[in-house]
């Protein structure tokens, strides 16, 4: 029971720190919970899941098939345009077909990764230019002149590799007599794949980031 209370307190602290960090860089990870959309005819879609953050995100069903809005407002399954790499809506309505039975649909279709770099560039330009209209125009022209291949290559470099994060643990003043858990418990909570039935029953911090990325 003591470990469970520690797990709950530390998890809350971790997510508060993550929320602060994400708010500073302008990217908040999507909540790892399923939900349903209401279709134009009033019916409900199967359970859907949002991945990513506000800079780069996509929607899937529980089977991993990507879902987009059609031009008429329906949630439909997506395919990728072979020329542009953009996700395109299909005629297959979510909830009315089983994607496993449709050869045209592929599990794991994703938006172009260059969208992430494009959004970050727009955001950075706005921060640097402020209300300077000429500066904003120059930044916009520069983005338009950047070759698509260069953007894609930069995005790939941006999203690959390992990055170590500094984690600062806090002990509140009214917890002065509380026994601190060993280092191994922290390592399990943050890094163990699949979590732990006592310390991280809903999964580790690593699991949440992996699922949302």
């Amino acid at each position: 029971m003591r470990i469970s209370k520690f797990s709950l307190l530390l998890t809350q602290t971790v997510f508060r720190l993550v929320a602060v960090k994400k708010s500073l860089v302008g990217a908040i990870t999507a909540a790892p919970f399923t939900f349903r959309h209401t279709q134009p005819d009033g019916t409900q879609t199967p359970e859907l899941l949002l991945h990513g953050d506000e800079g780069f995100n996509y929607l899937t069903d529980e089977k991993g098939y990507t879902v987009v809005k059609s031009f008429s407002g329906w949630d439909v399954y997506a395919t990728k345009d072979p020329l542009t790499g953009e996700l395109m809506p299909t005629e297959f309505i979510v909830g009315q077909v089983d994607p496993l039975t449709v050869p045209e649909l592929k599990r794991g279709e994703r938006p172009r990764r260059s969208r992430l770099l494009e959004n970050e560039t727009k955001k950075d330009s706005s921060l640097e230019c402020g209300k300077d209209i000429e500066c904003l125009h120059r930044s916009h022209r520069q983005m338009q002149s950047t070759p698509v291949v260069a953007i894609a290559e930069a995005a790939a470099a941006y999203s690959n590799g390992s990055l170590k994060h500094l984690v600062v643990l806090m002990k509140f003043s009214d917890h002065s007599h509380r026994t601190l858990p060993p280092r191994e418990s922290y390592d399990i909570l943050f890094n163990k794949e699949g979590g732990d039935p006592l310390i991280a029953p809903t999964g580790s911090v690593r699991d949440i980031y992996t699922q949302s990325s």
Side-chain angles (χ1 to χ4, degrees):
M1 181 63 69
R2 183 179 301 173
I3 293 181
S4 297
K5 289 181 178 179
F6 148 73
S7 176
L8 177 61
L9 177 62
L10 189 54
T11 301
Q12 291 173 339
T13 303
V14 167
F15 280 103
R16 285 170 184 165
L17 288 172
V18 170
V20 170
K21 176 187 174 185
K22 290 294 183 181
S23 65
L24 291 175
V25 299
I28 299 177
T29 305
F33 307 112
T34 58
F35 54 90
R36 295 176 185 267
H37 278 173
T38 301
Q39 298 281 36
D41 64 351
T43 59
Q44 295 281 306
T45 66
E47 297 289 340
L48 303 175
L49 187 63
L50 182 64
H51 306 264
D53 54 45
E54 71 268 28
F56 178 80
N57 54 74
Y58 53 92
L59 196 65
T60 69
D61 65 5
E62 291 190 298
K63 298 176 182 177
Y65 286 87
T66 303
V67 175
V68 297
K69 282 285 186 186
S70 70
F71 300 111
S72 55
W74 290 81
D75 283 278
V76 298
Y77 289 108
T79 57
K80 184 169 288 189
D81 188 302
L83 297 178
T84 66
E86 295 284 356
L87 291 178
M88 301 295 294
T90 66
E91 62 187 86
F92 304 109
I93 297 175
V94 178
Q96 296 187 13
V97 298
D98 182 354
L100 293 173
T101 65
V102 182
E104 297 96 315
L105 300 178
K106 296 180 181 179
R107 184 188 285 109
E109 295 282 29
R110 299 291 181 264
R112 293 184 298 116
R113 289 298 303 185
S114 58
R115 283 286 182 87
L116 176 61
L117 184 62
E118 291 168 0
N119 290 336
E120 291 298 325
T121 303
K122 292 177 183 176
K123 191 185 309 177
D124 292 342
S125 298
S126 299
L127 290 173
E128 293 173 1
C129 294
K131 296 182 179 181
D132 187 338
I133 301 300
E134 288 300 322
C135 177
L136 289 172
H137 283 312
R138 286 196 301 272
S139 298
H140 182 65
R141 287 194 296 269
Q142 183 178 6
M143 285 185 61
Q144 289 181 319
S145 65
T146 303
V148 174
V149 174
I151 292 178
E153 291 177 349
Y158 182 89
S159 59
N160 290 336
S162 299
L163 178 64
K164 293 184 178 180
H165 291 276
L166 175 65
V167 177
V168 180
L169 302 177
M170 297 181 293
K171 182 178 179 181
F172 297 100
S173 59
D174 58 346
H175 294 168
S176 58
H177 301 293
R178 180 170 296 181
T179 302
L180 294 178
R183 182 192 181 283
E184 291 75 13
S185 295
Y186 292 106
D187 191 42
I188 291 173
L189 180 62
F190 281 93
N191 302 314
K192 186 176 180 181
E193 294 186 33
D196 180 88
L198 291 178
I199 299 176
T202 59
S204 65
V205 174
R206 173 178 180 163
D207 292 332
I208 294 175
Y209 271 96
T210 301
Q211 183 179 11
S212 300
S213 299

